[in-house]
Amino acid sequence: MPKHREVRELPYTAAQMYDLVTDVARYPMFLPWVTAVRVKSDSETEMVADLIVGFKALKERFTSRVTKLRAASVHVEYIDGPLKYLRNEWTFEDDDAGGCRVDFMVEFAFKNRLFEALAGQMFDHALRRMIGAFEARAGELYGAESLSSAPAQAGA
Protein backbone atom coordinates (compact mmCIF):
# COMPACT_ATOMS: atom_id res chain seq x y z
CA MET A 1 0.00 0.00 0.00
CA PRO A 2 1.62 3.32 -1.05
CA LYS A 3 2.16 5.72 1.85
CA HIS A 4 3.83 9.11 1.98
CA ARG A 5 4.43 11.71 4.68
CA GLU A 6 5.75 15.18 4.10
CA VAL A 7 6.48 17.96 6.62
CA ARG A 8 6.99 21.52 5.40
CA GLU A 9 7.77 24.83 7.06
CA LEU A 10 5.86 27.47 5.09
CA PRO A 11 5.67 31.28 5.34
CA TYR A 12 1.87 31.22 5.73
CA THR A 13 -0.26 30.94 8.85
CA ALA A 14 -1.92 27.70 9.91
CA ALA A 15 -5.30 29.38 9.27
CA GLN A 16 -4.28 30.30 5.71
CA MET A 17 -3.12 26.78 4.89
CA TYR A 18 -6.20 25.27 6.53
CA ASP A 19 -8.43 27.56 4.40
CA LEU A 20 -6.56 26.54 1.25
CA VAL A 21 -6.80 22.80 1.95
CA THR A 22 -10.50 22.94 2.91
CA ASP A 23 -11.46 24.99 -0.17
CA VAL A 24 -12.08 21.75 -2.05
CA ALA A 25 -14.42 23.36 -4.60
CA ARG A 26 -11.42 25.26 -6.05
CA TYR A 27 -9.17 22.21 -6.45
CA PRO A 28 -9.74 21.99 -10.24
CA MET A 29 -8.20 25.48 -10.54
CA PHE A 30 -4.78 24.36 -9.35
CA LEU A 31 -4.46 20.63 -8.61
CA PRO A 32 -3.15 18.44 -11.43
CA TRP A 33 -5.56 15.74 -12.57
CA VAL A 34 -8.55 17.09 -10.58
CA THR A 35 -11.01 17.95 -13.35
CA ALA A 36 -14.20 18.58 -11.34
CA VAL A 37 -15.55 18.72 -7.79
CA ARG A 38 -19.07 18.41 -6.43
CA VAL A 39 -19.48 19.39 -2.80
CA LYS A 40 -22.45 17.38 -1.53
CA SER A 41 -22.52 18.88 1.98
CA ASP A 42 -20.37 21.31 3.91
CA SER A 43 -20.36 22.61 7.48
CA GLU A 44 -17.78 24.09 9.82
CA THR A 45 -16.68 20.59 10.90
CA GLU A 46 -17.48 18.22 8.02
CA MET A 47 -17.72 18.07 4.24
CA VAL A 48 -18.68 15.32 1.81
CA ALA A 49 -17.42 15.82 -1.74
CA ASP A 50 -16.90 14.02 -5.05
CA LEU A 51 -13.63 14.62 -6.91
CA ILE A 52 -13.32 13.67 -10.56
CA VAL A 53 -9.70 12.79 -11.25
CA GLY A 54 -8.60 12.29 -14.82
CA PHE A 55 -5.51 11.52 -16.81
CA LYS A 56 -5.85 11.34 -20.61
CA ALA A 57 -8.88 9.09 -21.30
CA LEU A 58 -9.12 7.74 -17.74
CA LYS A 59 -11.53 9.43 -15.33
CA GLU A 60 -12.52 8.26 -11.86
CA ARG A 61 -14.84 9.64 -9.18
CA PHE A 62 -13.76 9.62 -5.54
CA THR A 63 -16.20 10.39 -2.73
CA SER A 64 -14.69 11.43 0.59
CA ARG A 65 -15.74 12.71 3.98
CA VAL A 66 -13.57 15.54 5.24
CA THR A 67 -13.48 16.17 8.98
CA LYS A 68 -12.27 19.68 9.79
CA LEU A 69 -10.87 21.20 12.97
CA ARG A 70 -10.47 24.92 12.23
CA ALA A 71 -6.84 25.92 11.53
CA ALA A 72 -5.49 22.74 13.16
CA SER A 73 -6.26 19.62 11.11
CA VAL A 74 -8.08 18.00 8.22
CA HIS A 75 -8.85 14.28 8.08
CA VAL A 76 -10.01 12.74 4.79
CA GLU A 77 -11.94 9.47 4.94
CA TYR A 78 -12.63 7.58 1.74
CA ILE A 79 -16.27 6.65 1.06
CA ASP A 80 -16.51 5.41 -2.54
CA GLY A 81 -14.58 5.10 -5.80
CA PRO A 82 -11.85 2.96 -7.41
CA LEU A 83 -9.82 2.54 -4.24
CA LYS A 84 -9.99 -0.10 -1.57
CA TYR A 85 -8.67 2.32 1.03
CA LEU A 86 -7.61 5.96 1.39
CA ARG A 87 -6.51 7.95 4.40
CA ASN A 88 -5.26 11.50 4.22
CA GLU A 89 -4.25 13.72 7.16
CA TRP A 90 -3.19 17.36 7.30
CA THR A 91 -2.07 19.14 10.47
CA PHE A 92 -1.18 22.81 10.72
CA GLU A 93 0.78 24.48 13.51
CA ASP A 94 1.85 28.13 13.65
CA ASP A 95 5.53 28.74 14.37
CA ASP A 96 7.32 31.63 16.09
CA ALA A 97 8.46 33.15 12.78
CA GLY A 98 4.94 33.94 11.53
CA GLY A 99 4.67 30.88 9.30
CA CYS A 100 3.51 27.38 10.02
CA ARG A 101 4.46 23.74 9.97
CA VAL A 102 2.33 21.58 7.68
CA ASP A 103 2.37 17.82 8.23
CA PHE A 104 0.78 15.88 5.36
CA MET A 105 0.24 12.11 5.16
CA VAL A 106 -1.54 9.99 2.59
CA GLU A 107 -1.87 6.24 2.18
CA PHE A 108 -4.09 4.26 -0.16
CA ALA A 109 -4.71 0.95 -1.88
CA PHE A 110 -6.46 0.28 -5.19
CA LYS A 111 -9.08 -2.44 -5.57
CA ASN A 112 -7.35 -3.48 -8.79
CA ARG A 113 -3.78 -4.87 -8.36
CA LEU A 114 -2.77 -3.65 -11.84
CA PHE A 115 -3.70 -0.07 -10.91
CA GLU A 116 -1.84 -0.58 -7.63
CA ALA A 117 1.34 -1.55 -9.50
CA LEU A 118 1.03 1.38 -11.92
CA ALA A 119 0.28 3.82 -9.10
CA GLY A 120 3.29 2.62 -7.15
CA GLN A 121 5.57 3.53 -10.06
CA MET A 122 4.17 7.06 -10.40
CA PHE A 123 3.14 7.71 -6.79
CA ASP A 124 6.10 9.81 -5.61
CA HIS A 125 6.17 11.96 -8.75
CA ALA A 126 2.41 12.58 -8.67
CA LEU A 127 2.43 13.35 -4.97
CA ARG A 128 5.28 15.84 -5.28
CA ARG A 129 3.42 17.60 -8.10
CA MET A 130 0.29 17.86 -5.98
CA ILE A 131 2.16 19.16 -2.91
CA GLY A 132 3.93 21.65 -5.16
CA ALA A 133 0.54 22.75 -6.52
CA PHE A 134 -0.70 23.49 -2.98
CA GLU A 135 2.44 25.51 -2.25
CA ALA A 136 2.17 27.43 -5.53
CA ARG A 137 -1.50 28.17 -4.85
CA ALA A 138 -0.60 29.47 -1.36
CA GLY A 139 1.96 31.75 -2.99
CA GLU A 140 -0.67 33.09 -5.41
CA LEU A 141 -3.21 33.69 -2.65
CA TYR A 142 -1.01 34.88 0.21
CA GLY A 143 2.21 36.09 -1.41
CA ALA A 144 5.28 34.20 -2.53
CA GLU A 145 7.67 35.70 0.06
CA SER A 146 9.68 33.04 1.85
CA LEU A 147 10.41 32.95 5.56
CA SER A 148 14.08 33.62 4.92
CA SER A 149 13.31 36.86 3.06
CA ALA A 150 10.45 37.98 5.32
CA PRO A 151 11.20 40.88 7.63
CA ALA A 152 11.88 39.87 11.22
CA GLN A 153 8.94 40.34 13.58
CA ALA A 154 9.37 42.80 16.43
CA GLY A 155 10.15 41.02 19.66
CA ALA A 156 10.79 37.71 17.92
Side-chain angles (χ1 to χ4, degrees), residues 81-116:
L83 299 175
K84 179 169 45 174
Y85 173 84
L86 170 73
R87 194 176 102 202
N88 180 225
E89 301 277 343
W90 295 83
T91 60
F92 312 96
E93 186 177 333
D94 284 322
D95 63 25
D96 294 335
C100 75
R101 175 187 167 113
V102 177
D103 191 335
F104 169 79
M105 187 282 304
V106 63
E107 62 181 331
F108 64 92
F110 279 95
K111 292 175 184 172
N112 181 312
R113 288 194 183 269
L114 176 62
F115 282 148
E116 182 85 30

Side-chain angles (χ1 to χ4, degrees), residues 31-53:
L31 273 181
W33 309 295
V34 177
T35 61
V37 171
R38 183 177 73 161
V39 176
K40 295 175 161 185
S41 65
D42 193 13
S43 73
E44 190 66 26
T45 59
E46 184 178 276
M47 172 191 305
V48 175
D50 291 337
L51 267 66
I52 307 298
V53 177

Side-chain angles (χ1 to χ4, degrees), residues 4-81:
H4 184 82
R5 181 169 182 224
E6 192 94 21
V7 177
R8 299 282 176 99
E9 301 289 333
L10 298 175
Y12 315 109
T13 67
Q16 287 173 319
M17 293 308 297
Y18 171 89
D19 289 344
L20 172 60
V21 170
T22 59
D23 192 4
V24 175
R26 288 202 167 89
Y27 281 11
M29 295 173 62
F30 68 94
L31 273 181
W33 309 295
V34 177
T35 61
V37 171
R38 183 177 73 161
V39 176
K40 295 175 161 185
S41 65
D42 193 13
S43 73
E44 190 66 26
T45 59
E46 184 178 276
M47 172 191 305
V48 175
D50 291 337
L51 267 66
I52 307 298
V53 177
F55 180 74
K56 297 187 180 181
L58 296 172
K59 286 198 190 314
E60 292 287 351
R61 179 184 54 84
F62 296 79
T63 303
S64 298
R65 175 176 291 106
V66 180
T67 305
K68 305 179 282 184
L69 180 58
R70 178 87 189 123
S73 67
V74 175
H75 171 79
V76 180
E77 175 188 350
Y78 180 71
I79 296 174
D80 188 38

